[in-house]
Amino acid sequence: MGPAQKLNLPSDRLERLHYVKRMFAQAKGPDLAEEWSGGRTSALRKLHAVDAVQYGRNRNFINGAVTHLSPYLRHGCLSLNETFTFVKQKFGLQGESLLMELAWRDFWRQVWFYEGNAIFSEMEPPKVNLDYQPLSDAVKQANTGLPCMDGFIKELLDTGYMHNHARMWFASYVVHHLKIDWRETADWFEAHLLDGDLASNHLSWQWVASTFSSKPYYFNKENLERYTGGKYCATCTAQCPFDASYEVLNGRLFSPSLTASPKQYPIKSLPMKGAHTFKAVAVLVHDEMLSAQNPLLSKPYPKIFVFDPVLCGHWSLNRLQFVADCLHEMMNVEVWMGDTHAVLLQKGVGQIFTQDTPNFKLKEILAPFSPSWEHAPRLANVRLSERRLKRFSRYWEKVGPVLMADV
Ligand SMILES: Cc1cc2nc3c(=O)[nH]c(=O)nc-3n(C[C@H](O)[C@H](O)[C@H](O)COP(=O)(O)OP(=O)(O)OC[C@H]3O[C@@H](n4cnc5c(N)ncnc54)[C@H](O)[C@@H]3O)c2cc1C
């Protein structure tokens, strides 16, 4: 890693895109499209355009009224609470479907807080036989020979986005048809998403695989054709692996799992760095709190954000550009690239305030700086037992009535 370097993000958007490309020369992929510009201004525009009524009717269709809010929620441009309240007040019960999807995000995050690094290994034994083949170049390069899957992958590589239903189909195809290692693909997938989120992503892959659900997720051609409006099937000449009844697919894809123990994926700790006696205090802004409205930014200390390769070295170019857009709106935040530890030492910082996160890597990096982890308000102020955090339905049984009480 080179020495830490302070960045001066240009105000002009095009210049900023070029600047990020130059500074992060190793980052791959196309530039960030204008419609995905980062920051709270764009986030609010998208929030005000939400049509929760249409969403409830057609969210599973690939061209349905989905919100595209995920990158903004992931990076804290909007808080989940304010988004939930906005939808509830504007749409009432008609917004229920969207409110429930927003709650899924909270559920995965609460599971991450509770389980920690366990979410990166199999949470439960798989309910059907899984295999762990390496992720192939054919998948990574959108060259599977299936127009639907290649179309989904191309969209991911070109824009950093994939519709939720396409994510489910794609994950199911990779894990259950190609028998590829879910964890390797989840890591690759997260690196290409603008909304890449370790909890929503890795736990969703486990939900599809059946290591955090009671059965595997799979689909047939009829389902894909219906929700894509026939877009891929109409001209497809491939031998379709999905063209069968659920019963036939079930027999073809699965036999009950013989593995009693869930697969574990070891996680390396970062090398421990010593504490020190510096006196300065700072607010460490991280990638989940990218809004000038974040309450921590009102503290009377310097605010510092670091593009640390340990945390974001695997991100695609457009994700880095998205984050740069967000930071550009946060006038009083100093932006650096390099080793967080080195930046804080260089600035004589001995103590930091920051927003709490389940991200263990960030916690390890910040441990030598007496971090004060400030909790963001929770979506619902309810205590959730381990049992509730095993399945969304049990979580919702407790949280739903609290959140929906005044609708
Ligand atoms: C295999 C797989 C991987 C995924 N990886 C991620 C990820 O890395 N980051 C991420 O934010 N989401 C992930 N999701 C969840 C979901 O697909 C996306 O949040 C959603 O598609 C984002 O698009 P949108 O904002 O237009 O969603 P909309 O359908 O408009 O939903 C509105 C919001 O509700 C939340 N939401 C909706 N569905 C889900 C869900 N199933 N789980 C959690 N939150 C949800 C999101 O915050 C989303 O922005 C993944 C799902 C699957 C099946």
Side-chain angles (χ1 to χ4, degrees), residues 147-191:
C148 51
M149 294 302 149
D150 291 344
F152 302 148
I153 302 166
K154 271 195 202 112
E155 187 184 7
L156 172 72
L157 300 178
D158 288 350
T159 66
Y161 182 76
M162 199 191 277
H163 184 284
N164 180 60
H165 215 158
R167 294 184 203 209
M168 290 163 61
W169 292 320
F170 171 67
S172 179
Y173 168 64
V174 166
V175 175
H176 298 309
H177 289 259
L178 301 181
K179 304 285 180 193
I180 290 176
D181 188 317
W182 69 265
R183 171 65 200 283
E184 193 187 345
T185 325
D187 290 350
W188 171 83
F189 198 59
E190 189 262 338

Side-chain angles (χ1 to χ4, degrees), residues 137 225 233:
D137 285 346
E225 192 167 18
C233 304

Side-chain angles (χ1 to χ4, degrees), residues 385-401:
S385 63
E386 184 178 348
R387 197 189 78 84
R388 297 263 178 214
L389 290 172
K390 290 284 181 219
R391 294 289 182 267
F392 179 80
S393 54
R394 298 181 203 157
Y395 155 96
W396 186 246
E397 205 176 53
K398 178 119 191 219
V399 169

Side-chain angles (χ1 to χ4, degrees), residues 55 67-70 101 105 108 161 164 167 195 197 201:
Y55 182 88
T67 65
H68 292 179
L69 286 175
S70 52
E101 293 308 316
R105 181 173 204 93
W108 295 134
Y161 182 76
N164 180 60
R167 294 184 203 209
D195 64 24
D197 175 85
N201 185 59

Side-chain angles (χ1 to χ4, degrees), residues 2-66:
Q5 192 177 347
K6 191 166 170 205
L7 302 183
N8 290 308
L9 299 174
S11 300
D12 179 77
R13 181 167 185 273
L14 270 185
E15 278 180 37
R16 194 161 58 246
L17 293 182
H18 287 308
Y19 179 79
V20 173
K21 199 182 224 161
R22 212 169 55 245
M23 299 309 288
F24 297 87
Q26 84 296 342
K28 298 203 174 62
D31 286 312
L32 181 69
E34 177 129 28
E35 63 161 310
W36 288 106
S37 296
R40 187 168 168 84
T41 312
S42 300
L44 287 172
R45 205 177 306 124
K46 284 205 159 64
L47 181 62
H48 286 272
V50 164
D51 184 344
V53 179
Q54 280 305 322
Y55 182 88
R57 290 185 188 136
N58 63 19
R59 72 176 191 88
N60 279 324
F61 288 85
I62 222 76
N63 61 355
V66 292

Side-chain angles (χ1 to χ4, degrees), residues 55-345:
Y55 182 88
R57 290 185 188 136
N58 63 19
R59 72 176 191 88
N60 279 324
F61 288 85
I62 222 76
N63 61 355
V66 292
T67 65
H68 292 179
L69 286 175
S70 52
Y72 304 91
L73 289 163
R74 157 64 182 88
H75 295 98
C77 307
L78 292 172
S79 75
L80 191 56
N81 289 14
E82 71 174 321
T83 307
F84 197 93
T85 304
F86 177 91
V87 174
K88 189 157 84 169
Q89 286 177 351
K90 185 162 176 187
F91 298 98
L93 252 194
Q94 288 192 301
E96 191 174 13
S97 166
L98 179 53
L99 293 171
M100 221 157 140
E101 293 308 316
L102 291 167
W104 268 99
R105 181 173 204 93
D106 181 58
F107 172 66
W108 295 134
R109 189 166 172 83
Q110 302 252 8
V111 175
W112 192 17
F113 261 117
Y114 188 82
E115 298 282 351
N117 286 346
I119 70 164
F120 303 113
S121 286
E122 291 182 357
M123 303 275 286
E124 299 167 10
K127 314 305 177 293
V128 292
N129 59 319
L130 297 180
D131 203 349
Y132 302 92
Q133 299 299 322
L135 177 57
S136 61
D137 285 346
V139 171
K140 289 198 267 191
Q141 292 162 8
N143 200 13
T144 67
L146 298 177
C148 51
M149 294 302 149
D150 291 344
F152 302 148
I153 302 166
K154 271 195 202 112
E155 187 184 7
L156 172 72
L157 300 178
D158 288 350
T159 66
Y161 182 76
M162 199 191 277
H163 184 284
N164 180 60
H165 215 158
R167 294 184 203 209
M168 290 163 61
W169 292 320
F170 171 67
S172 179
Y173 168 64
V174 166
V175 175
H176 298 309
H177 289 259
L178 301 181
K179 304 285 180 193
I180 290 176
D181 188 317
W182 69 265
R183 171 65 200 283
E184 193 187 345
T185 325
D187 290 350
W188 171 83
F189 198 59
E190 189 262 338
H192 287 88
L193 286 167
L194 288 181
D195 64 24
D197 175 85
L198 295 170
S200 288
N201 185 59
H202 285 69
L203 290 166
S204 293
W205 279 86
Q206 298 218 45
W207 181 86
V208 168
S210 79
T211 57
F212 197 45
S213 56
S214 51
K215 55 182 190 315
Y217 170 76
Y218 64 109
F219 63 95
N220 68 7
K221 180 183 172 198
E222 194 187 333
N223 175 276
L224 189 142
E225 192 167 18
R226 169 160 189 242
Y227 289 104
T228 53
K231 180 173 165 190
Y232 301 103
C233 304
T235 52
C236 179
T237 54
Q239 174 81 30
C240 179
F242 318 121
D243 191 7
S245 68
Y246 281 99
E247 201 183 1
V248 168
L249 284 171
N250 186 46
R252 198 184 286 164
L253 294 175
F254 307 121
S255 55
S257 177
L258 300 174
T259 324
S261 51
K263 184 173 176 191
Q264 300 298 302
Y265 296 80
I267 292 182
K268 274 201 221 123
S269 290
L270 297 172
M272 272 289 281
K273 294 192 172 153
H276 40 76
T277 54
F278 289 122
K279 291 277 179 286
V281 181
V283 173
L284 192 286
V285 176
H286 60 69
D287 64 6
E288 294 174 6
M289 47 188 289
L290 299 183
S291 157
Q293 301 298 310
N294 188 293
L296 277 169
L297 296 200
S298 59
K299 287 202 182 285
Y301 306 118
K303 285 96 194 165
I304 301 168
F305 177 93
V306 188
F307 282 102
D308 188 321
V310 170
L311 299 166
C312 60
H314 61 295
W315 288 356
S316 52
L317 175 66
N318 53 9
R319 172 102 177 253
L320 294 165
Q321 290 169 327
F322 179 92
V323 169
D325 280 352
C326 301
L327 289 163
H328 168 252
E329 286 186 355
M330 301 167 73
M331 299 301 271
N332 55 359
V333 176
E334 259 185 37
V335 181
W336 289 73
M337 67 188 286
D339 176 27
T340 305
H341 195 267
V343 172
L344 294 178
L345 290 193

